Amino acid sequence: MPIPSPAGSRRQRLVDEVAEQGLVLDGTQPAHDLILDELDYALRPPVHERRVPSYGAIVAPGTAPWAWQEVTGLRIERRPIDPEVARASRGYADGISSWLLRWDAEHDEGLIFDRPAGSERDLVVLAQALGATVVQRHPSGTVRVVGPDGVFRFDGLWWHHEPMVASWIDAVGAGTGSEDRQVLERLLQFAVHDLGSGGVGAILVFRPDRDLPTSFERRLPTPPPLRIGHPPDLAPLRHVLAQIDGATLFAADGTLREIGVRLVPTTAAEAGVEGYRGMRHTAGRRYSYDDPTAAVIVVSEDGPVTVLRGGELIAATSSGGPTPGP
């Protein structure tokens, strides 16, 4: 009986490991071997002088290159790569502004963006715009695989799966108009891929009734009117939310209105709505009872995102993805 090679055994363990979270790389599709090659490299890159490099590869794109820039908002330079030096070209791909593009086993290119695009939200946009699977080792050490089935994130110990927000927006956006639904989807993407993936806890309130007499206690000055639908505004918003407690309020058009707000429940909410998980979730749940038309998105520091409306759990992400409320 032939003895399996260490590399072959390691590769099979990786296939089995990611399959437990729903990422199928069993060789039934031509791109599976390419994705495994890039994932194996991202998990175990060469270390130089104790520095572990970041890395990024985009595998098997399925959309027309002429549309990439318009959809992503990036200026993208494509650089041909000689097949004989394809492996060596990995050293130039930082997974932030420069990427290795693998069409198939014999055709590779280099991609260079005009600005950094390495956040989890950026990877989701890239995967959707290029119709590809994106493999990244972030400078923080987190390894991600992003494709049609969502985000698969490895933190050094465990794999975690986040399905695409579009796959569960129906449950969250039920009863809302198309414009509200669009803003709500962007808020959810921000909550899952910017805050949750970075360990930033928060309460995001969409369409709050600011005329409720006792529901808010404003503690900070009025913030700049950052817009959830304007990508350049998301970095400063993420940065400030990592430094404060309290709720963040967004108007119907997705514009930031208040930040660091203390949610004050009514007596009816305190009496009629049970606590849920910790203080952050309980405050969000009770506020949603007092303001039943608002959508309240609660982000835990350890990643999961919960959506509440009318005092009820509408949907929540978990290690197995989003689950409907009771």
Side-chain angles (χ1 to χ4, degrees):
M1 175 181 291
I3 300 174
S5 69
S9 298
R10 184 180 73 200
R11 192 180 181 95
Q12 186 58 52
R13 286 196 301 272
L14 179 56
V15 170
D16 296 339
E17 206 173 289
V18 296
E20 292 181 0
Q21 289 295 327
L23 177 57
V24 178
L25 298 175
D26 59 6
T28 56
Q29 299 294 326
H32 286 179
D33 284 342
L34 292 177
I35 297 169
L36 275 171
D37 284 345
E38 300 312 310
L39 180 55
D40 186 55
Y41 181 84
L43 290 166
R44 301 171 183 83
V47 179
H48 176 68
E49 295 182 350
R50 294 180 292 178
R51 287 194 294 269
V52 182
S54 62
Y55 178 65
I58 300 171
V59 181
T63 59
W66 59 263
W68 295 350
Q69 295 193 160
E70 180 179 354
V71 177
T72 62
L74 298 165
R75 288 202 302 271
I76 302 174
E77 288 189 31
R78 298 170 60 191
R79 306 281 181 88
I81 294 176
D82 188 324
E84 295 185 4
V85 298
R87 292 295 179 92
S89 64
R90 283 174 169 158
Y92 297 90
D94 66 5
I96 304 295
S97 298
S98 57
W99 295 76
L100 177 65
L101 176 65
R102 304 205 63 189
W103 288 98
D104 53 42
E106 298 179 354
H107 300 92
D108 298 328
E109 292 183 17
L111 297 184
I112 300 177
F113 302 156
D114 64 326
R115 60 175 173 81
S119 72
E120 186 167 291
R121 176 177 40 82
D122 291 326
L123 304 192
V124 170
V125 172
L126 286 172
Q128 293 177 331
L130 276 67
T133 297
V134 178
V135 179
Q136 181 207 47
R137 182 184 184 90
H138 192 268
S140 67
T142 300
V143 174
R144 296 182 176 94
V145 181
V146 185
D149 295 321
V151 178
F152 298 85
R153 187 190 308 134
F154 183 69
D155 62 7
L157 293 174
W158 310 104
W159 284 96
H160 176 79
H161 178 211
E162 291 286 5
M164 292 295 191
V165 167
S167 70
W168 55 293
I169 186 63
D170 286 340
V172 176
T176 61
S178 59
E179 292 185 3
D180 282 0
R181 180 188 174 101
Q182 186 178 52
V183 175
L184 184 56
E185 184 169 359
R186 287 172 175 167
L187 277 169
L188 286 167
Q189 289 171 340
F190 178 71
V192 172
H193 301 304
D194 286 80
L195 302 181
S197 68
V200 178
I203 302 175
L204 311 179
V205 181
F206 174 53
R207 296 201 68 164
D209 183 350
R210 300 176 76 194
D211 293 328
L212 290 176
T214 61
S215 290
F216 307 124
E217 181 183 311
R218 296 173 176 85
R219 301 181 298 176
L220 296 176
T222 301
L226 302 176
R227 292 174 292 154
I228 199 68
H230 187 52
D233 286 357
L234 300 185
L237 180 58
R238 179 177 61 244
H239 187 64
V240 72
L241 289 181
Q243 304 174 61
I244 64 169
D245 293 319
T248 303
L249 312 185
F250 292 88
D253 64 354
T255 300
L256 176 64
R257 294 303 188 201
E258 301 284 351
I259 197 164
V261 170
R262 178 173 175 263
L263 300 180
V264 183
T266 62
T267 302
E270 288 189 303
V273 180
E274 294 182 359
Y276 176 66
R277 299 186 65 174
M279 292 178 61
R280 181 179 286 130
H281 284 81
T282 298
R285 186 177 191 180
R286 288 175 174 165
Y287 174 80
S288 74
Y289 176 88
D290 287 329
D291 187 359
T293 63
V296 180
I297 303 168
V298 183
V299 187
S300 299
E301 291 180 18
D302 55 353
V305 174
T306 304
V307 184
L308 303 144
R309 185 181 280 121
E312 299 293 336
L313 173 65
I314 302 301
T317 63
S318 65
S319 59
T323 56

